[in-house]
Amino acid sequence: MQSLNKLPRWLTVGLAFPVVILNGWLLLQVVQYFQPLVSVFASAVLLAFVLDYPIQFFQSRGVKRNLAIGGVLLLAVVILVALGLTLVPLIIEQLNELVNILPNWIDSGSQQLDAFQNWIATQTLPVNLSSLFTQLIERLSNQLQAVTGKILGLAFDTIGVVVNVLLAVVLTIYMVLNGDRLWDGLYQWFPTNISMKVRQLLREDFHNYFIGQATLGAILAVTVTLAFVALRIPLALLFGIGIGFFSLFPFGTGIGITIVSLLVALENFWLGVEVLGVAVAIDQINSNFVAPRILGNLTGLNPVWVVVSLLLGAKLGGVLGLLVAIPTASFIKDITDSWRTGEFEQAGDVSSDAAKVTGEVVITHK
């Protein structure tokens, strides 16, 4: 061990790099081999983590934990049943409607492009956009039809989905009831000073991210949907919920708004521009006035590392990997910063001093 400490820092990092790469590759193989069990377990952990927030809220108001757990689980079931009976059928219905009317929208977009091309010809401008836009529309329509077909296929492939959902629900209930003991058992493998800091940072990073992003996504989805309904935008519920869902991912809000605006512009160009302006305005209000109060400085990650973490998360876990990529990267950054600044050693000194004081108190009492 002493000989390793005497090695130059660059050589130590160089020796550790292939080990890290090999462990990362092995982790990828394990995750892919045990799919979809890994996704089910991760989903249960995330749901239990989110449900723990209202449980702690009720506990802070003097409600006993068992009663708080029962109330939160009952409330979650009522909300899920209500959403399943109201919003989900409407979303599936509008998704089917989008698949049916998409060819008509594409024809309308082609006619608008032809009219625009004719206007350009009357202005004697040497520009030919019809072929380029035709190719873009064909590719966009093929991608949208493929995506919507997969979504509908997933929605009607009930056997595997129902089994995974039921398994995730059972694991979520177990994690809510016995999660503390499970995590205590895992943290016991670490020294006391490290486990305390890791537990604190893990809870802060994941709690802040998921609660904050879910709140912002819900606010954005509701406000955008109401605005679309007021403007009589077709498929307002589907488009509003879609933009809110995209907002759960970094850089996803802009992608969702762009897709919705392009789809509406196929039917009516100026209506698409109106949708773009309204959605961007609502997003800016949400980002500049609401988000700072809820999130603050959420991760402190460099945008480059945000993109890298998203790519790795998508590679490892698909959509679920995208959801956990940012808080995981933020947690790794906080752990690295704490280790570099020596906070683990300081926490260890504090815990050892507390243990000494406790021991002296016990001896004096005896």
Side-chain angles (χ1 to χ4, degrees), residues 33-339:
Y33 180 79
F34 286 102
Q35 287 289 2
L37 294 179
V38 175
S39 297
V40 170
F41 180 77
S43 301
V45 172
L46 293 179
L47 289 175
F49 185 81
V50 172
L51 291 176
D52 188 61
Y53 178 75
I55 292 173
Q56 290 185 355
F57 174 79
F58 287 119
Q59 282 188 275
S60 64
R61 298 298 187 272
V63 181
K64 294 183 179 180
R65 180 169 178 82
N66 291 334
L67 184 59
I69 291 175
V72 169
L73 290 177
L74 180 61
L75 181 62
V77 170
V78 171
I79 293 175
L80 289 177
V81 171
L83 292 177
L85 295 177
T86 57
L87 285 181
V88 174
L90 291 175
I91 292 174
I92 294 177
E93 180 182 353
Q94 292 195 1
L95 190 60
N96 275 318
E97 185 178 353
L98 175 62
V99 174
N100 294 328
I101 66 177
L102 187 58
N104 296 329
W105 284 12
I106 293 173
D107 293 338
S108 175
S110 299
Q111 294 175 4
Q112 295 180 69
L113 289 176
D114 292 337
F116 180 66
Q117 183 65 36
N118 294 332
W119 177 83
I120 292 177
T122 59
Q123 302 299 318
T124 66
L125 297 177
V127 180
N128 186 5
L129 300 176
S130 59
S131 60
L132 176 61
F133 282 129
T134 302
Q135 293 178 1
L136 290 176
I137 289 178
E138 289 179 356
R139 292 186 179 182
L140 177 62
S141 63
N142 292 333
Q143 292 296 326
L144 288 174
Q145 289 176 355
V147 170
T148 52
K150 290 180 180 179
I151 294 175
L152 290 175
L154 180 63
F156 292 106
D157 188 13
T158 55
I159 298 178
V161 174
V162 169
V163 170
N164 291 334
V165 169
L166 291 178
L167 184 58
V169 170
V170 172
L171 286 176
T172 300
I173 296 175
Y174 174 80
M175 294 295 297
V176 170
L177 295 175
N178 304 291
D180 289 339
R181 286 184 289 177
L182 174 64
W183 295 117
D184 290 339
L186 293 177
Y187 287 130
Q188 287 178 358
W189 290 90
F190 299 94
T192 304
N193 57 320
I194 296 178
S195 64
M196 292 176 59
K197 189 65 177 179
V198 168
R199 193 165 195 164
Q200 175 189 354
L201 294 177
L202 192 64
R203 179 175 293 274
E204 289 178 356
D205 290 330
F206 278 80
H207 172 270
N208 292 340
Y209 183 81
F210 284 110
I211 299 299
Q213 288 295 111
T215 304
L216 291 177
I219 293 174
L220 183 63
V222 171
T223 52
V224 169
T225 301
L226 293 177
F228 286 175
V229 171
L231 295 173
R232 297 183 179 179
I233 305 298
L235 308 178
L237 178 62
L238 177 64
F239 290 155
I241 297 297
I243 292 176
F245 176 75
F246 272 98
S247 67
L248 297 176
F249 309 97
F251 315 115
T253 306
I255 298 174
I257 292 175
T258 302
I259 293 174
V260 171
S261 302
L262 289 175
L263 287 174
V264 177
L266 290 176
E267 183 189 17
N268 188 320
F269 176 77
W270 295 112
L271 187 61
V273 173
E274 189 175 358
V275 166
L276 177 63
V278 170
V280 169
I282 294 175
D283 176 59
Q284 289 302 309
I285 295 174
N286 198 37
S287 300
N288 295 321
F289 295 97
V290 181
R293 298 178 180 272
I294 296 178
L295 298 180
N297 187 11
L298 182 62
T299 62
L301 290 174
N302 187 289
V304 175
W305 291 116
V306 171
V307 175
V308 172
S309 61
L310 289 175
L311 294 175
L312 291 176
K315 178 66 177 178
L316 288 172
V319 176
L320 183 63
L322 288 174
L323 286 175
V324 302
I326 301 303
T328 302
S330 178
F331 169 71
I332 295 174
K333 175 183 178 296
D334 291 339
I335 288 293
T336 305
D337 293 341
S338 299
W339 173 73

Side-chain angles (χ1 to χ4, degrees), residues 350-366:
V350 172
S351 60
S352 61
D353 293 340
K356 291 180 181 179
V357 172
T358 304
E360 292 175 359
V361 172
V362 172
I363 294 174
T364 304
H365 179 71
K366 288 183 179 179

Side-chain angles (χ1 to χ4, degrees), residues 10-50:
W10 64 268
L11 183 57
T12 304
V13 174
L15 292 175
F17 181 75
V19 177
V20 172
I21 296 299
L22 178 60
N23 289 333
W25 179 80
L26 290 175
L27 176 63
L28 177 62
Q29 300 302 315
V30 171
V31 170
Q32 291 179 347
Y33 180 79
F34 286 102
Q35 287 289 2
L37 294 179
V38 175
S39 297
V40 170
F41 180 77
S43 301
V45 172
L46 293 179
L47 289 175
F49 185 81
V50 172

